[in-house]
Amino acid sequence: MGHASDRYVQLTRDAGALSELPLALSQRAGALLFAGELAAAASFVEEVQVVQEATGSRLAPYGPLALAALRGQEAEISILATAAKDEVVQRGEGIGIGLSDWATAVLHNGLGHYQDAMAAAETASAYLPHVSPSVNWGLVELVEAAARCGLRERATDALRRLSESTSASGSDWALGVEARSRALLSEGETADRLYREAIERLGRSRMRAELARAHLLYGEWLRREDRRIDAREQLRASYQMLTAMGMEGFAERARRELLATGETVRKRTVETVTDLTAQEAQIARLARDGRTNLEIGSQLFISPRTVEWHLRNVFTKLEITSRKELR
């Protein structure tokens, strides 16, 4: 990463062109996280850190925080959330508090700690929607946590607030998440229809993490309806997706549900993908998308020879022999 750091410093000296880069990279990482591309998101998170070191800029650790939440890393979340809140309070960034609590809520929903998830989601959703984007995300977590805690009235109120925004948006992402949330508070054929709608809508979007969670919730509901064969189908899909993404907390929740259906499940973890370093994962993704070594090197501020060296490591770790196999 030394080459990248030197290049960033030079660019900063030339034109101050990188003043907004950490924020842009963080936003890109956020989009990848919702898409379930955690390895790619991790490479952007690492790049943010390199840029900050090279330019002396400061940004609260939003990327590492969200990444740790989706990975189910409880110890890391505690440290990062405290650091983020301390930093944003000093700078007067109220949005950071909401984002920290949203990440904490996601973590605890994934681990099945619903009381803790509800407490964090309450705080994350306490702002007005135009103040922080974490409000609607927090409401999604609050509906799930409150429903699991048996607090139907609290969950219903959160759903009402959420639907005001999702209905206005009209996107498959928004309406899919709303349908999934509404299904949590429904019964019988209505719940079944809403879960299927959520899966259909989210399946048309890039939000693979949300889709995997929809399969998980549907599978959990089916098991409780004593429809074990149907439940296994949904839970298998969820478990495979969540494990491949590296969402270990939610994946373990899906594994426990599968075991409860009577299915034998061997505990899996992300192996080859997370064995890649953050930079190797980013180079692999760019090569998969058809970029040449020269193009990849220009984007990452490293030499084509360095790109080739990283790709050889990627091929060895993934046990493949060509770029075509990266797909």
Side-chain angles (χ1 to χ4, degrees):
M1 298 296 291
H3 297 296
S5 180
D6 293 343
R7 178 59 173 159
Y8 287 137
V9 171
Q10 185 60 50
L11 284 172
T12 304
R13 289 172 179 169
D14 290 345
L18 301 178
S19 60
E20 300 299 325
L21 187 55
L23 181 58
L25 291 171
S26 291
Q27 290 174 336
R28 176 58 176 159
L32 289 167
L33 287 171
F34 277 108
E37 298 184 32
L38 272 62
S43 68
F44 279 93
V45 169
E46 183 179 88
E47 194 167 354
V48 169
Q49 295 171 338
V50 172
V51 175
Q52 290 185 127
E53 290 173 4
T55 63
S57 59
R58 294 292 301 168
L59 184 69
Y62 299 135
L65 187 61
L67 189 61
L70 291 174
R71 284 176 168 170
Q73 298 170 326
E74 193 168 7
E76 286 82 352
I77 281 288
S78 178
I79 296 170
L80 289 167
T82 299
K85 287 184 177 181
D86 289 345
E87 195 160 326
V88 299
V89 167
Q90 292 177 11
R91 294 205 298 260
E93 294 178 12
I95 183 177
I97 297 176
L99 287 170
S100 297
D101 286 312
W102 162 77
T104 302
V106 171
L107 169 81
H108 287 300
N109 268 335
L111 297 175
H113 302 162
Y114 299 115
Q115 289 283 357
D116 293 332
M118 188 172 68
E122 289 272 14
T123 306
S125 60
Y127 298 88
L128 294 173
H130 68 273
V131 174
S132 172
S134 69
V135 171
N136 290 328
W137 303 344
L139 288 170
V140 172
E141 303 307 323
L142 182 55
V143 172
E144 182 171 336
R148 287 291 185 254
C149 289
L151 299 175
R152 186 177 181 84
E153 184 175 340
R154 188 67 197 92
T156 300
D157 179 65
L159 176 60
R160 177 189 57 77
R161 291 176 57 200
L162 175 66
S163 64
E164 292 173 359
S165 296
T166 53
S167 299
S169 169
S171 69
D172 278 322
W173 177 17
L175 295 178
V177 169
E178 180 188 343
R180 189 185 75 193
S181 300
R182 196 172 295 281
L184 281 163
L185 299 173
S186 302
E187 298 177 354
E189 292 183 3
T190 300
D192 193 283
R193 174 180 55 79
L194 286 167
Y195 279 123
R196 289 184 178 277
E197 178 187 344
I199 289 170
E200 181 181 353
R201 287 187 179 279
L202 292 169
R204 293 199 296 260
S205 76
R206 289 191 60 199
M207 305 305 158
R208 309 298 291 173
E210 300 290 1
L211 174 62
R213 290 180 65 177
H215 282 294
L216 172 58
L217 286 170
Y218 189 24
E220 289 175 334
W221 179 81
L222 287 166
R223 186 179 75 79
R224 285 156 181 76
E225 291 291 302
D226 203 25
R227 294 167 55 183
R228 292 197 172 194
I229 294 177
D230 293 335
R232 286 171 185 166
E233 179 183 354
Q234 297 299 323
L235 292 170
R236 281 193 210 105
S238 174
Y239 184 52
Q240 290 168 2
M241 292 176 69
L242 292 165
T243 302
M245 292 174 192
M247 293 176 62
E248 297 294 341
F250 284 98
E252 177 59 18
R253 186 172 134 191
R255 189 182 77 89
R256 291 196 302 267
E257 286 288 327
L258 269 172
L259 289 172
T261 67
E263 181 156 313
T264 302
V265 188
R266 185 177 63 184
K267 188 171 182 178
R268 298 170 53 196
T269 58
V270 180
E271 297 172 353
T272 52
V273 173
T274 53
D275 279 345
L276 301 181
T277 66
Q279 189 166 44
E280 286 170 351
Q282 187 174 19
I283 289 171
R285 181 173 57 81
L286 292 170
R288 176 204 65 188
D289 293 341
R291 304 289 182 84
T292 66
N293 287 359
L294 181 60
E295 290 170 336
I296 295 171
S298 296
Q299 180 168 335
L300 302 183
F301 305 105
I302 57 179
S303 71
R305 181 173 295 180
T306 300
V307 173
E308 180 61 32
W309 180 78
H310 280 301
L311 278 175
R312 284 200 299 270
N313 289 338
V314 168
F315 290 170
T316 298
K317 289 180 178 181
L318 298 183
E319 298 180 353
I320 60 177
T321 58
S322 71
R323 289 173 179 248
K324 291 182 179 179
E325 294 178 83
L326 286 172
R327 295 187 180 276

